[in-house]
Amino acid sequence: MKVLVIGGGAREHALCRSLSLDPDVTALHCAPGNAGIGEVAELHPVDAMDGAAVARLATDLAADLVVVGPEAPLVAGVADAVRSAGIPCFGPSRDAAELEGSKAFAKDVMASAGVPTARSYLCTTPEEIDEALDAFGAPYVVKDDGLAAGKGVVVTDDLAAAREHALGCDRVVIEEFLDGPEVSLFAITDGETVVPLTPAQDFKRALDGDEGPNTGGMGAYSPLPWADPKLVDEVMATVLQPTVDELRRRGTPFSGLLYAGLAITSRGVRVIEFNARFGDPETQVVLARLVTPLASVLLNAARGTLDLQPPLRWREDAAVTVVVASHNYPDTPRTGDPIHGLDEVAAEDAPHAYVLHAGTRHDGDTVVSAGGRVLSVTATGKDLAQARERAYKAVARIRLDGSQHRTDIARRAAGE
């Protein structure tokens, strides 16, 4: 089949890499892509937010499947435009993508479906903000109701900082703090059948030891040796299936990737947030472990035939991703810096370690930085310790002036 992937980050590079290894994929396209994706897919300049332009491109390419990667195009209705052109699309409709587009909408869905989550208030005035902050106390959890590229959440003991963030949002959700480790669990769904993927854990804080500001994610690993073996079954029964059923009941069936961000609290599993697409950087480690060819799974979801999909197969290997970010990330990042060492990783570390591009572009023959999170260095191994060792060995070959990365991704889980 011919596949078109929309987006240009490391998530899309991970998707394109997996699709390029799928024998059923005869042609792979990506729009707009990045310097790394161009090595496995044909790139096309398109505004990913322009549904009509994406649909035209898919039609011109005679694509059999379109995969929309980022959340903003999904919330903007790009998947609807593609489906209106008669082309199967992996990604929820504009209405269903509100599960990520509005945290208040997600809370309402969870309340109706009986999904366990944190108690919360939706606030629109300074008075409501002060009342909510006072009701819950520290640590304060303040979430911009809309899309914020993974950086709209502040968790702090500082009342002034919490209030400042809340006042900067048009609508803000303030909720109780959830204790315990966090887990990301993806599920592929066609609106009825739900197929869970393997759990992963990501690292949101910029600095080692979970210090510093929230980011879009600085690394991830899978599997989770410390997690209850029954966790996936429990989340399927209490979170994923009820949410999919509720959205279908409302007349807005969710077809695509449903991402549940979970806290494993002292009182049980609680949903922190939903996303309407593959998470970044968790996708990098989840797909590194997937044996089942990806294209047929996504196509079955897009066609509404996921019930025909055989059980997914997974490698026993562990996977670790370390994000290399640009100078000053997550504030305004410096871009345009040359990236060296990519050929060395390909020559010395493949196939166990490889580089997925996020914010990169070509400047002549040179690959340069073009965003905050620049690269996702991903490695597999017989266990987390070996995968970690291989990932950081590859990271050490990367030379990007002023770059930063965490040194503790998966350290605790690997028993180090």
Side-chain angles (χ1 to χ4, degrees):
M1 69 180 85
K2 296 179 182 177
V3 182
L4 169 62
V5 176
I6 302 301
R11 164 187 45 230
E12 287 76 35
H13 194 176
L15 287 164
C16 285
R17 179 182 183 273
S18 291
L19 290 166
S20 73
L21 299 173
D22 188 331
D24 287 339
V25 177
T26 53
L28 181 59
H29 303 267
C30 186
N34 61 38
I37 295 174
E39 297 176 7
V40 295
E42 183 179 345
L43 303 186
H44 303 269
V46 75
D47 180 357
M49 297 293 289
D50 187 337
V54 171
R56 277 196 304 274
L57 176 61
T59 301
D60 292 345
L61 294 173
D64 299 297
L65 173 66
V66 174
V67 181
V68 181
E71 61 273 23
L74 291 168
V75 173
V78 169
D80 303 83
V82 172
R83 279 191 278 268
S84 294
I87 299 170
C89 184
F90 182 82
S93 67
R94 180 204 306 264
D95 290 343
E98 276 297 284
L99 201 62
E100 177 170 4
S102 168
K103 293 178 177 60
F105 175 77
K107 288 288 188 182
D108 185 63
V109 170
M110 284 188 272
S112 298
V115 170
T117 186
R119 293 179 298 120
S120 65
Y121 295 105
L122 174 65
C123 306
T124 57
T125 68
E127 293 76 20
E128 290 175 344
I129 288 168
D130 289 338
E131 287 177 16
L133 292 172
D134 183 60
F136 287 129
Y140 304 101
V141 181
V142 184
K143 299 181 176 183
D144 191 330
D145 181 53
L147 294 180
K151 289 172 280 188
V153 179
V154 165
V155 181
T156 179
D157 288 322
D158 185 336
L159 176 58
R163 190 171 190 273
E164 180 183 12
H165 182 67
L167 291 171
C169 306
D170 288 335
R171 285 158 47 101
V172 64
V173 173
I174 296 173
E175 63 183 40
E176 67 175 327
F177 176 75
L178 297 175
D179 64 329
E182 296 183 12
V183 174
S184 299
L185 184 60
F186 302 165
I188 291 172
T189 178
D190 59 6
E192 288 197 40
T193 301
V194 182
V195 176
L197 306 187
T198 188
Q201 185 176 63
D202 80 331
F203 294 75
K204 288 292 187 191
R205 298 286 189 168
L207 307 176
D208 284 5
D210 289 329
E211 299 290 336
N214 256 10
T215 72
M218 295 299 291
Y221 69 92
S222 179
L224 311 182
W226 49 268
D228 187 330
K230 298 176 184 175
L231 175 65
V232 174
D233 290 341
E234 178 185 349
V235 176
M236 271 288 292
T238 63
V239 175
L240 297 171
Q241 192 70 57
T243 300
V244 169
D245 291 345
E246 173 62 19
L247 286 167
R248 187 175 68 252
R249 187 190 68 78
R250 292 179 177 218
T252 54
F254 188 105
S255 170
L257 194 289
L258 178 57
Y259 164 131
L262 308 164
I264 314 301
T265 78
S266 55
R267 295 171 292 144
V269 174
R270 297 289 185 272
V271 174
I272 300 170
E273 65 176 354
F274 283 125
N275 290 336
R277 39 71 194 183
F278 280 100
D280 181 346
E282 301 98 318
T283 300
Q284 290 85 302
V285 292
V286 170
L287 293 185
R289 300 186 60 223
L290 181 65
V291 174
T292 301
L294 182 62
S296 61
V297 186
L298 303 185
L299 187 61
N300 276 329
R303 285 178 168 171
T305 54
L306 200 55
D307 59 322
L308 304 178
Q309 176 66 43
L312 301 183
R313 293 178 295 121
W314 299 95
R315 291 183 178 86
E316 292 294 323
D317 284 2
V320 171
T321 283
V322 179
V323 170
V324 177
S326 57
H327 176 73
N328 204 41
Y329 179 77
D331 293 325
T332 305
R334 192 175 76 204
T335 61
D337 290 316
I339 302 168
H340 302 288
L342 298 173
D343 291 341
E344 293 173 37
V345 175
E348 301 292 334
D349 301 304
H352 300 299
Y354 49 89
V355 178
L356 298 168
H357 291 231
T360 68
R361 62 178 176 83
H362 279 290
D363 183 1
D365 293 332
T366 304
V367 177
V368 301
S369 60
R373 291 186 296 172
V374 182
L375 305 169
S376 284
V377 180
T378 303
T380 56
K382 68 179 188 296
D383 54 27
L384 284 173
Q386 186 179 53
R388 223 179 91 77
E389 177 189 356
R390 287 171 169 172
Y392 279 107
K393 185 178 179 182
V395 167
R397 301 187 197 278
I398 303 295
R399 298 180 299 283
L400 170 62
D401 187 45
S403 68
Q404 56 178 311
H405 64 272
R406 283 185 57 159
T407 65
D408 62 348
I409 304 300
R411 176 188 288 161
R412 184 182 299 174
E416 299 179 16

